[in-house]
Amino acid sequence: MRVAFGTFLGMPDPMAFLAGRSFIAPRFASSNVRGHAARIDGRLIGTNFATRWGSFGFFGPLTILPEYWDKGIAQQLLQATEKTFDRWGVRRAALFTFPHSTRHVGLYQKFGYWPTYLTALMVRTPDGAPSASKSGTLLSTLPRQQREAVISACARITHRIDRGLDLTEEIRAALKLRVGDVVLIYTRNTLDGFALCMNGPGSEGGERVCYIKFAAARSGPGAGDRFDRLLAACDAFALSRGAALEGGVSLAREDAFRRMRSHGWQVRAQGVAMLRPHVAGHNRPDAYVIDDWR
């Protein structure tokens, strides 16, 4: 993965791409992820990963060694990936790619994916000391018998945003592998929002980054204010780990993006979301969600 993306981006040392972060390894042990491999004479030359969040699926990173580019390998990997989505019976499938690359966008269009809004990859380095008043509850600190009830409450939040969207297996895998935790915010006994934060050795964020793989505030009246509180709780979590924050947000979620900017988040890069079928799903103005499908 590092060689492929680092080469495409023109980095002097391609292996420095996402150095210190394990973007691939945790996915092998996640029950909601399936890997697909391309080999020639036993040599691994390409991979693609399909991830299932309930009735929603996305793939990536799709990577091929540079010497095998433009030889049809990506199409073969995509054909295998599409069979996985068919077996899963996902209602919507998606990906994140480079908006400036006609080659990438054109390839995925052949498989029925349509480019939609840009996705902003955003970063923030919180400063100061963690605030107890703004800190959320960490799922890992709850008694084991209580965790499943909370995970079910997270699923109710996502289902309300988009029917069938479910992070249950992603959350379980993060806790089992100890590559992340879930920040929870409440009003009394009602779960108002959660953020799946990947951080620590062997995680997608590594030790210096708290990568918000997915976050959502409960929809309905007051959702924007709940999202603000969730952002503050993520700040407190990152400060407690001595880490910077990173996450992506679709620009279709206009108010969520503007609120992140007002909290000090800055756009580092941007990609484009591609969807099949071409429907909004949880990329809507009233959805207060952070994710980027990398």
Side-chain angles (χ1 to χ4, degrees):
M1 186 201 74
R2 299 188 201 284
V3 169
F5 280 98
T7 300
F8 180 80
L9 295 172
M11 298 177 65
D13 177 13
M15 288 297 290
F17 178 74
L18 292 180
R21 301 171 65 173
S22 298
F23 240 67
I24 299 297
R27 306 186 190 209
F28 282 104
S30 300
S31 63
N32 63 312
V33 180
R34 290 290 181 273
H36 306 83
R39 295 184 175 90
I40 292 183
D41 296 328
R43 183 192 183 196
L44 183 67
I45 63 167
T47 59
N48 192 25
F49 292 85
T51 299
R52 175 174 54 181
W53 290 346
S55 63
F56 172 73
F58 65 94
F59 69 77
L62 190 161
T63 58
I64 299 167
L65 290 177
E67 59 264 40
Y68 292 98
W69 288 355
D70 300 320
K71 298 183 184 298
I73 307 299
Q75 293 197 48
Q76 294 181 59
L77 282 169
L78 282 170
Q79 288 166 1
T81 303
E82 293 303 303
K83 291 179 181 178
T84 295
F85 285 152
D86 290 342
R87 287 196 300 271
W88 284 343
V90 298
R91 292 174 49 240
R92 291 187 299 115
L95 64 111
F96 169 97
T97 193
F98 302 102
H100 65 282
S101 174
T102 56
R103 180 171 62 184
H104 286 83
V105 172
L107 169 64
Y108 301 133
Q109 283 180 310
K110 291 179 181 179
F111 285 82
Y113 293 89
W114 195 256
T116 59
Y117 280 87
L118 294 174
T119 296
L121 297 182
M122 305 182 74
V123 295
R124 168 168 164 71
T125 303
D127 53 17
S131 170
S133 63
K134 295 181 179 179
S135 297
T137 300
L138 296 183
L139 183 60
S140 64
T141 65
L142 300 178
R144 290 187 180 273
Q145 63 270 25
Q146 189 179 346
R147 291 181 195 173
E148 283 301 314
V150 174
I151 293 173
S152 294
C154 292
R156 287 193 292 273
I157 285 178
T158 54
H159 184 81
R160 186 173 175 183
I161 293 170
D162 184 38
R163 181 170 59 87
L165 181 64
D166 188 349
L167 274 289
T168 294
E169 295 305 320
E170 190 79 51
I171 292 171
R172 286 174 178 161
L175 293 181
K176 178 181 178 181
L177 300 174
R178 298 183 179 180
V179 293
D181 211 327
V182 182
V183 177
L184 310 164
I185 60 166
Y186 288 87
T187 296
R188 293 180 289 277
N189 294 323
T190 300
L191 183 65
D192 282 339
F194 71 96
L196 176 56
C197 299
M198 313 303 269
N199 172 256
S203 74
E204 292 181 43
E207 297 186 64
R208 293 184 293 178
V209 175
C210 170
Y211 171 47
I212 302 178
K213 187 157 189 175
F214 187 93
R218 181 166 52 84
S219 58
D225 293 337
R226 291 189 285 274
F227 188 67
D228 286 336
R229 288 171 44 221
L230 185 59
L231 293 175
C234 290
D235 272 6
F237 176 76
L239 283 167
S240 73
R241 298 293 184 95
L245 285 161
E246 178 182 292
V249 61
S250 169
L251 296 188
R253 309 168 195 149
E254 182 176 348
D255 193 47
F257 171 75
R258 293 185 184 279
R259 287 175 185 265
M260 291 179 73
R261 288 297 304 269
S262 70
H263 275 261
W265 288 73
Q266 297 184 352
V267 178
R268 185 195 67 189
Q270 58 190 18
V272 62
M274 298 186 68
L275 289 163
R276 190 195 68 202
H278 184 199
V279 294
H282 59 285
N283 283 352
R284 308 188 314 269
D286 65 328
Y288 290 85
V289 171
I290 296 173
D291 68 347
D292 57 56
W293 311 341
R294 278 182 285 171

